[in-house]
Amino acid sequence: PRHGESTHLVFLTTPESRTHRRTLAIRDHLRARPARAVEFESAKVRRWKEGDGDCEQYDRDKAIFFAHLEEQLGEDLHFQKQP
């Protein structure tokens, strides 16, 4: 850990869960749109720098991006089934 604090989180989930389906849908959306993925990465780096490493602020800022992305993807994002 950097400076004695955790810098990463690991989440475990099952393939049937809404969280898993949501994560894959967002991943697939960003993979299919490289420019959007670069925008997302740039926003993450910018927010991290602006927050001076404040993990809680970074999480709040990133949540705004995800909420906007989910809104664009629509309600069925949460219910997509994987083949």
Side-chain angles (χ1 to χ4, degrees), residues 48-78:
W48 180 255
K49 288 178 180 178
E50 289 172 0
D52 291 325
D54 181 344
C55 292
E56 290 178 10
Q57 182 62 48
Y58 173 72
D59 286 342
R60 285 190 297 271
D61 291 341
K62 196 167 58 168
I64 293 168
F65 180 90
F66 276 113
H68 181 66
L69 181 57
E70 288 178 3
E71 188 177 287
Q72 290 178 339
L73 292 174
E75 275 301 310
D76 23 272
L77 169 68
H78 301 288

Side-chain angles (χ1 to χ4, degrees), residues 8-24:
H8 295 79
L9 299 173
V10 175
F11 294 92
L12 300 178
T13 183
T14 61
E16 301 82 25
S17 74
R18 295 175 86 184
T19 300
H20 183 74
R21 291 192 309 266
R22 174 182 168 262
T23 301
L24 292 182

